[in-house]
């Protein structure tokens, strides 16, 4: 939820103020798909990916989560989390630190305090909008558009501005993960990334990415 600057984010942090600080090292599995929803986590630093495993055994990265994001994502229409099962696998992409709060404690706060319920609802709404944006990216017919439109999302989640309009991603992503997030095959993704690199939109050196937002179509970029 980086860059929103909304007041509800302060209230969300307060929801987790009594949580226990936990750390995970890079590439550590935090939750399995199907685990019970015992805790929710507010990321303080670092990055986490949500992914699923297909029947073929292949993995598919679905979302990236960074500072200010809450996970696991819950899609229950009520706050009846006692029997809720986590939908995805969650794994740290970097060394990660977050506040861990028992789901029952968060549930109690939300139910008993209307203002906290509103803050949580505002957060969920903003998260859903981000997810819908990703789905819209995947609906584009042209593969190049899918990959190009993914870049603002990556910048908003994990970009650090090093020069005006030039952002360095604070995470390393494989071509397969880019393919998963944009809905394009890995082979096509590799070809398109080379094209974007040649045009000066991206630069890949030693696994570190920089994105030149000045060269992106203006309507597609918003951090």
């Amino acid at each position: 939820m980086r860059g929103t600057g909304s007041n509800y984010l302060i209230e969300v942090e307060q929801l987790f103020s009594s949580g226990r600080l936990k750390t995970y090292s890079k590439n550590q599995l935090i939750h399995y798909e199907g685990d019970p929803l015992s805790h929710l986590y507010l990321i303080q630093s670092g990055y986490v990916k949500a992914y699923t495993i297909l029947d073929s055994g292949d993995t598919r990265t679905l979302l990236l989560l960074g500072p200010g994001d809450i996970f696991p994502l819950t899609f229950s229409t009520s706050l009846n989390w006692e029997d809720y099962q986590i939908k995805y696998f969650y794994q740290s992409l970097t060394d990660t630190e977050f506040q861990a709060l028992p789901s029952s404690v968060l549930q109690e706060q939300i139910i008993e305090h209307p203002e906290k319920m509103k803050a949580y609802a505002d957060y969920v709404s903003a998260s859903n909008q981000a997810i819908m944006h990703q789905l819209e990216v995947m609906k584009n017919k042209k593969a190049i558009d899918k990959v190009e439109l993914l870049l603002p999302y990556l910048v908003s989640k994990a970009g650090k501005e090093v020069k005006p309009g030039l952002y360095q991603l604070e995470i390393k992503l494989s071509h397969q993960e880019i393919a998963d997030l944009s809905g394009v095959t890995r082979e096509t993704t590799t070809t398109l990334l080379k094209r974007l690199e040649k045009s000066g939109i991206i630069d890949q050196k030693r696994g570190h990415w920089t994105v030149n937002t000045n060269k992106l179509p203006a309507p597609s970029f918003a951090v």
Side-chain angles (χ1 to χ4, degrees):
M1 306 303 293
R2 173 185 295 200
T4 60
S6 300
N7 291 333
Y8 71 82
L9 293 180
I10 298 174
E11 296 175 7
V12 166
E13 288 185 358
Q14 292 174 351
L15 280 173
F16 284 81
S17 61
S18 63
R20 183 163 61 95
L21 191 65
K22 297 191 68 174
T23 58
Y24 277 79
S25 57
K26 181 181 178 181
N27 294 331
Q28 191 170 356
L29 193 61
I30 302 169
H31 267 301
Y32 287 88
E33 187 174 277
D35 279 350
L37 185 66
S38 60
H39 288 74
L40 285 102
Y41 310 94
L42 176 65
I43 300 176
Q44 300 293 323
S45 64
Y47 298 90
V48 171
K49 71 175 180 179
Y51 70 94
T52 190
I53 299 178
L54 306 179
D55 291 340
S56 63
D58 295 331
T59 63
R60 286 291 179 269
T61 300
L62 302 172
L63 290 170
L64 302 178
L65 303 166
D69 283 325
I70 296 172
F71 75 96
L73 300 172
T74 56
F75 298 98
S76 175
T77 55
S78 69
L79 292 178
N80 181 23
W81 292 339
E82 289 81 2
D83 300 319
Y84 189 81
Q85 292 185 333
I86 295 173
K87 301 299 183 184
Y88 308 126
F89 294 88
Y90 291 86
Q91 180 179 341
S92 56
L93 284 169
T94 64
D95 292 343
T96 309
E97 186 176 80
F98 44 74
Q99 296 290 124
L101 191 68
S103 56
S104 58
V105 174
L106 180 60
Q107 181 184 48
E108 183 178 335
Q109 289 189 72
I110 291 172
I111 292 175
E112 293 184 358
H113 302 280
E115 71 280 5
K116 294 182 178 181
M117 169 68 85
K118 183 180 184 306
Y120 181 75
D122 287 345
Y123 172 85
V124 171
S125 176
S127 296
N128 287 341
Q129 288 180 18
I131 293 171
M132 290 303 297
H133 173 74
Q134 279 309 102
L135 292 176
E136 289 298 317
V137 167
M138 292 184 177
K139 283 171 59 179
N140 280 275
K141 293 183 179 180
K142 292 183 178 179
I144 186 64
D145 290 341
K146 291 182 180 183
V147 176
E148 193 173 83
L149 288 171
L150 177 67
L151 296 177
Y153 170 74
L154 296 179
V155 168
S156 69
K157 298 301 295 185
K160 178 182 179 181
E161 192 170 25
V162 292
K163 292 181 180 179
L166 190 66
Y167 292 81
Q168 184 175 78
L169 299 187
E170 298 180 307
I171 52 177
K172 293 182 179 181
L173 294 172
S174 68
H175 286 193
Q176 183 61 62
E177 288 169 330
I178 296 294
D180 293 344
L181 290 165
S182 58
V184 179
T185 66
R186 187 188 63 77
E187 292 78 9
T188 300
T189 296
T190 298
T191 300
L192 295 177
L193 289 175
K194 289 180 180 178
R195 187 190 302 180
L196 291 172
E197 191 166 23
K198 185 176 292 187
S199 66
I201 293 176
I202 65 170
D203 186 23
Q204 305 176 75
K205 289 182 179 178
R206 299 176 183 176
H208 293 285
W209 285 50
T210 55
V211 180
N212 189 340
T213 60
N214 295 321
K215 294 191 176 184
L216 284 173
S220 71
F221 180 73
V223 176

